[in-house]
């Protein structure tokens, strides 16, 4: 059997194109090395190649064995949970919205009346687009993400600067800023992998690039420098940096690597220490104290805490099933975006609310488990960044809906209304599913 | 003397994992190392090795990465913590089996 015949027969047995590619590469290299060895033993080039091919064994049997191993896997469990949550989200939003006009005290009643006819169509459209995007991302070769990661990082910095100069509306800038911070952990996971196996130097590079993002944001603040989204983003990147060290992305784990990773906590810790020492400007001290009050168990006093005190009082009034009321102290347009959990508990009751929270918990659990179990370190990093990001946002969202967190925009998959929110969350969910689907057919590549 | 294929098959996974306990290796290197360490007893074919390596990788005992430091792209395999645990367990299992077989074969009263 000639070399070409062997390779053709072997490839014919493997169905998946991506698997064919890396199997071919590995077998070609092997035959080449074996043939070179025979040449050093005195064989001529042609005979050496022929003998190397003969030594490979039966290509049909080998190909069939490899085909059994390298097949795409459909993420049945994750997809079923995502689909159930999407349908539940649409139905619950639809029901809540259709009852919104019955005696609720709207702050922006005029806006609500304008939104009414389009609302359900929009939410179905946005979620359908999100679902299409998830299915599209399933077929994405995420190796390309790291191949162009430095270019993407550069584009990210340009996006921060462009936002500063081009966006003039506060509302639009707030949303833009939120989504910029939301996607940074994904970019950071790509950077961690890009500088893999470089030990402490690799960690410093990733930390410096993150510091540069913060620096650019301070230099080009637009209409908001930092927000709750910054804290979410920082928390997620801290977790994935430690995860990367633990999973030996930068080499065999040791104390020095963990110490280098710990540097990421210096900026927030120094802010905290400065505030304790009273070295912080008064304005920032007051904002920090107010922020901490949002998480305290005692009901804080003051106009700023009006909403959270109401949310906390409401907990004891939720019915087990049903309730059919909506909180009149929340702007109606917020009920189906930032306060969906509150709306679900108020209108449908505690048990349906807990079912939804359980579905979210199951989704996060499966997403995180799937990601952490990946052998492909890039898949593991990207999947973990997306899973941890979703988990952190869901936790923040649920806590703020029960009155334990500041009033701020938090975007979670399946339940928050809005085109951009649906699409960006779909990218996160899609990447987790893509990592699972490609676990046996995408291999780490050199860049 | 050639060794029965069935006898080798069951322990091949353990031998591959054990080799990788020493250092990361690529396929061809594993075949050569196995041959020299076993005094030419185990002459593993690439067609047997690669499906086995890919199975072990799927089980999470190995991870693979590409390296170009030698001037060509080589796919190296690395033993994971779960793989290290597997080597330890399988080694104990093998020692137990080996002792049991040796005891039976050396059984003095067993001769006819």
């Amino acid at each position: 059997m000639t070399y070409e015949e062997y390779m053709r027969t072997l490839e014919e047995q493997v169905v998946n194109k991506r698997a064919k590619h890396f199997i071919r590469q590995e077998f070609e290299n092997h035959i080449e090395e074996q043939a070179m060895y025979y040449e050093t033993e005195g064989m001529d080039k042609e005979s050496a190649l022929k003998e190397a091919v003969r030594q490979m064994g039966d290509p049909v049997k080998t190909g069939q064995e490899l085909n059994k191993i390298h097949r795409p896997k459909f993420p049945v469990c994750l997809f079923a949970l995502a689909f159930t949550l999407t349908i539940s989200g649409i139905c619950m939003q639809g029901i809540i919205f259709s009852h919104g006009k019955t005696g609720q005290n709207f702050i922006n009643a005029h806006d609500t009346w304008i939104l009414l006819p389009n609302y359900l169509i929009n939410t179905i459209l946005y979620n359908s687009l999100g679902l299409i995007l998830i299915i599209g991302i399933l077929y994405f070769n995420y190796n390309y993400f790291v191949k162009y990661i430095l270019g993407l990082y550069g584009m990210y910095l340009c996006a921060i600067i462009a936002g500063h100069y081009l966006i003039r509306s506060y509302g639009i800038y707030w949303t833009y800023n939120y989504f910029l911070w939301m996607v940074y952990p994904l970019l950071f996971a790509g950077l961690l992998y890009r500088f893999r196996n470089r030990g402490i130097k690799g960690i410093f590079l990733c930390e410096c690039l993150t510091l540069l993002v913060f620096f650019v944001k301070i230099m080009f603040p637009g209409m908001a420098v930092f927000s709750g989204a910054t804290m979410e983003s920082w928390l997620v990147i801290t977790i994935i940096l430690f995860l990367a060290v633990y999973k030996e992305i930068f080499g065999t784990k040791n104390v020095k690597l963990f110490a280098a990773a710990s540097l990421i906590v210096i900026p927030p810790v120094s802010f905290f220490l400065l505030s304790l020492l009273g070295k912080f400007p008064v304005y920032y001290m007051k904002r920090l104290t107010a922020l901490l009050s949002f998480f305290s168990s005692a009901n804080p006093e003051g106009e700023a805490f009006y909403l959270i005190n109401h949310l906390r009082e409401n907990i004891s009034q939720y019915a087990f099933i049903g309730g059919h009321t909506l909180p009149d102290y929340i702007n109606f347009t917020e009920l189906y975006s930032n306060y969906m959990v509150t709306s679900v508990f108020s209108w449908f009751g505690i048990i349906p609310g807990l079912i939804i929270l359980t579905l979210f918990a199951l989704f996060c659990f499966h997403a995180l488990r799937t990601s952490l179990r990946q052998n492909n370190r890039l898949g593991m990093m990207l999947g973990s960044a997306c899973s941890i990001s979703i988990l952190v946002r869901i936790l923040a969202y649920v806590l703020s809906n029960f009155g334990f967190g500041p009033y701020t925009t938090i975007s979670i998959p399946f339940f928050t209304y809005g085109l951009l929110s649906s699409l960006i969350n779909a990218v996160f969910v899609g990447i987790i599913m893509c990592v699972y689907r490609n676990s046996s057919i995408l291999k780490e590549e050199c860049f | 003397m050639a060794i029965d294929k069935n006898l080798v098959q069951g322990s091949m996974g353990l031998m591959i994992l054990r080799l990788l306990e020493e250092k990361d290796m690529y396929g061809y290197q594993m075949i050569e190392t196995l041959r020299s360490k076993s005094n030419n007893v185990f002459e593993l074919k690439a067609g047997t090795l690669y499906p086995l390596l890919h199975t072990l990788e799927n089980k999470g005992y190995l991870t693979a990465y590409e390296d170009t430091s030698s001037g060509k792209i080589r796919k190296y395999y690395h033993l994971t913590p779960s793989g290290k645990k597997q080597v330890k367990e399988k080694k104990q299992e093998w020692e137990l089996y080996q002792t049991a077989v040796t005891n039976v074969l050396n059984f003095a009263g067993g001769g006819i």
Side-chain angles (χ1 to χ4, degrees):
Chain A
M1 182 179 274
T2 64
Y3 169 75
E4 284 77 18
E5 280 170 346
Y6 178 88
M7 290 310 295
R8 194 175 56 243
T9 314
L10 179 78
E11 281 186 54
E12 276 170 2
Q13 316 307 315
V14 183
V15 178
N16 189 271
K17 278 184 186 172
R18 283 178 188 160
K20 260 182 204 194
H21 168 71
F22 70 77
I23 287 170
R24 181 181 184 91
Q25 202 177 44
E26 194 169 30
F27 275 67
E28 272 176 355
N29 287 345
H30 188 98
I31 294 172
E32 200 183 301
E33 299 242 14
Q34 184 80 68
M36 272 166 66
Y37 170 75
Y38 288 134
E39 276 184 61
T40 58
E41 292 282 296
M43 277 191 184
D44 63 87
K45 203 172 181 179
E46 199 180 327
S47 310
L49 187 65
K50 205 171 174 185
E51 181 55 21
V53 170
R54 197 186 70 79
Q55 284 294 331
M56 296 299 286
D58 180 7
V60 177
K61 199 178 158 208
T62 309
Q64 283 172 349
E65 288 282 321
L66 290 167
N67 187 47
K68 275 186 218 163
I69 304 164
H70 301 291
R71 285 179 178 169
K73 297 187 281 184
F74 189 77
V76 182
C77 197
L78 276 174
F79 196 84
L81 282 165
F83 190 75
T84 312
L85 280 164
T86 305
I87 298 295
S88 311
I90 293 173
C91 293
M92 286 178 160
Q93 283 178 355
I95 293 167
I96 290 165
F97 203 86
S98 66
H99 289 85
K101 56 190 171 183
T102 56
Q104 297 302 314
N105 179 18
F106 305 131
I107 294 164
N108 290 323
H110 178 68
D111 292 346
T112 308
W113 284 110
I114 292 168
L115 278 167
L116 262 167
N118 302 322
Y119 170 73
L120 199 57
I121 296 165
N122 282 351
T123 200
I124 291 171
L125 180 71
Y126 300 159
N127 280 293
S128 306
L129 286 172
L131 219 53
I132 292 168
L133 191 60
I134 289 173
I135 292 166
I137 293 173
L138 277 179
Y139 297 90
F140 173 62
N141 179 350
Y142 54 76
N143 280 322
Y144 287 117
F145 180 72
V146 169
K147 195 171 182 180
Y148 303 111
I149 192 70
L150 293 177
L152 289 170
Y153 175 80
M155 282 164 67
Y156 185 82
L157 294 182
C158 292
I160 295 175
I161 299 167
H164 172 78
Y165 288 111
L166 301 176
I167 301 174
R168 290 279 161 259
S169 151
Y170 181 77
I172 294 174
Y173 190 83
W174 184 263
T175 311
Y176 181 76
N177 190 42
Y178 182 84
F179 290 116
L180 270 183
W181 283 118
M182 189 173 149
V183 298
Y184 186 68
L186 194 54
L187 213 58
F188 186 69
L191 289 171
L192 291 175
Y193 185 78
R194 173 69 179 72
F195 298 111
R196 68 193 180 279
N197 303 331
R198 294 200 190 181
I200 290 179
K201 197 179 156 192
I203 296 175
F204 282 157
L205 271 166
C206 294
E207 285 172 336
C208 287
L209 289 171
T210 302
L211 210 61
L212 183 63
V213 168
F214 278 76
F215 180 72
V216 170
K217 189 73 190 83
I218 291 166
M219 296 300 288
F220 302 94
M223 289 170 189
V225 188
F226 300 129
S227 62
T230 320
M231 288 196 288
E232 281 166 33
S233 186
W234 174 80
L235 184 61
V236 177
I237 62 172
T238 305
I239 296 170
I240 57 173
L241 177 58
F242 278 98
L243 179 70
V245 176
Y246 180 74
K247 290 278 187 179
E248 305 193 331
I249 297 288
F250 296 101
T252 311
K253 58 184 173 223
N254 57 46
V255 180
K256 281 182 187 172
L257 290 181
F258 280 109
S262 306
L263 293 179
I264 198 101
V265 301
I266 285 181
V269 168
S270 50
F271 280 139
F272 186 70
L273 289 176
L274 279 171
S275 66
L276 281 183
L277 295 169
K279 301 276 182 195
F280 236 33
V282 179
Y283 168 74
Y284 288 106
M285 276 296 290
K286 286 200 169 176
R287 284 205 64 175
L288 194 69
T289 316
L291 184 70
L292 293 173
S293 307
F294 282 112
F295 300 99
S296 70
S297 55
N299 283 8
E301 285 178 16
E303 208 176 311
F305 307 105
Y306 163 81
L307 185 60
I308 68 157
N309 285 334
H310 266 299
L311 286 165
R312 289 180 189 183
E313 280 162 23
N314 248 24
I315 296 172
S316 58
Q317 289 162 22
Y318 293 144
F320 272 102
I321 291 188
H324 301 102
T325 56
L326 289 169
D328 55 4
Y329 50 88
I330 301 175
N331 184 339
F332 195 73
T333 53
E334 298 278 350
L335 280 177
Y336 53 82
S337 53
N338 292 334
Y339 289 95
M340 259 306 283
V341 171
T342 307
S343 305
V344 170
F345 273 78
S346 297
W347 190 268
F348 297 98
I350 295 171
I351 292 172
L354 286 178
I355 291 171
I356 293 297
L357 293 187
T358 308
L359 287 173
F360 269 118
L362 278 173
F363 180 84
C364 290
F365 172 74
H366 275 284
L368 201 55
R369 196 177 63 159
T370 299
S371 307
L372 291 174
R373 284 183 171 182
Q374 292 305 310
N375 290 324
N376 183 323
R377 294 178 301 170
L378 174 58
M380 187 273 294
M381 285 313 299
L382 291 180
S384 303
C386 292
S387 315
I388 294 166
S389 176
I390 290 175
L391 178 68
V392 166
R393 280 185 281 119
I394 288 176
L395 277 174
Y397 188 91
V398 173
L399 283 173
S400 75
N401 272 242
F402 285 113
F404 293 92
Y407 164 77
T408 182
T409 303
I410 302 170
S411 173
I412 60 165
F414 321 121
F415 260 61
T416 41
Y417 180 80
L419 179 62
L420 208 54
S421 170
S422 301
L423 295 184
I424 295 181
N425 277 307
V427 170
F428 278 70
V429 173
I431 288 175
I432 299 166
M433 291 193 191
C434 170
V435 164
Y436 179 84
R437 181 184 180 272
N438 291 301
S439 50
S440 345
I441 55 174
L442 263 184
K443 298 295 159 195
E444 293 188 28
E445 289 177 17
C446 285
F447 301 113
Chain B
M1 186 179 72
I3 292 182
D4 184 2
K5 229 177 168 182
N6 294 326
L7 210 59
V8 181
Q9 242 168 14
S11 52
M12 195 49 76
L14 170 63
M15 285 193 271
I16 295 293
L17 293 174
R18 177 68 191 91
L19 284 185
L20 292 169
E21 216 175 19
E22 297 297 314
K23 62 173 183 177
D24 296 356
M25 288 185 192
Y26 54 97
Y28 180 75
Q29 195 182 7
M30 280 183 228
I31 292 178
E32 288 302 305
T33 316
L34 197 64
R35 197 203 321 262
S36 67
K37 293 236 180 209
S38 68
N39 296 324
N40 296 326
V41 172
F42 299 129
E43 298 216 357
L44 190 60
K45 288 211 185 288
T48 312
L49 173 72
Y50 287 110
L52 180 60
L53 282 174
H54 292 196
T55 307
L56 293 170
E57 194 189 350
N58 258 12
K59 284 182 178 171
Y61 301 145
L62 304 177
T63 50
Y65 62 93
E66 286 183 347
D67 185 87
T68 49
S69 54
S70 61
K72 47 180 132 180
I73 301 174
R74 275 176 177 157
K75 190 174 165 188
Y76 280 83
Y77 289 88
H78 170 80
L79 194 67
T80 63
S82 150
K84 283 177 191 162
K85 202 176 149 196
Q86 180 75 359
V87 177
K88 208 176 161 189
E89 283 172 11
K90 286 282 164 193
K91 229 170 136 184
Q92 283 174 345
E93 205 178 287
W94 175 256
E95 277 159 9
L96 191 72
Y97 172 77
Q98 190 194 27
T99 316
V101 172
T102 312
N103 286 345
V104 171
L105 293 179
N106 294 341
F107 177 44
I112 300 168

